[in-house]
Amino acid sequence: MITDAVPLATRAKNQGMADFSIAIATGGFSSGLVVSASGYPVLALTGGIFTLAVLPAIATSGSSR
């Protein structure tokens, strides 16, 4: 719906902003649920694990330039 409502020249930027906004909202909601169910230490540990899981992909993509 978003991409159909905007001009072609700004379509990718608008879609990216929409995706980013949804990801932020989902992350905020999910982190609230984790904190209420398990507490901040579990949230921090989970965030650390996700960060460590993404680091190899970041390192690999940066070396191809």
Side-chain angles (χ1 to χ4, degrees):
M1 289 175 42
I2 293 170
T3 56
D4 291 336
V6 296
L8 182 60
T10 61
R11 191 169 290 173
K13 180 181 178 182
N14 287 319
Q15 183 66 46
M17 287 301 296
D19 292 347
F20 177 74
S21 299
I22 291 169
I24 293 297
T26 303
F29 180 73
S30 300
S31 65
L33 291 175
V34 170
V35 169
S36 68
S38 304
Y40 284 106
V42 173
L43 178 65
L45 182 62
T46 304
I49 290 170
F50 282 136
T51 301
L52 290 175
V54 172
L55 283 177
I58 293 171
T60 304
S61 67
S63 64
S64 63
R65 291 183 191 181

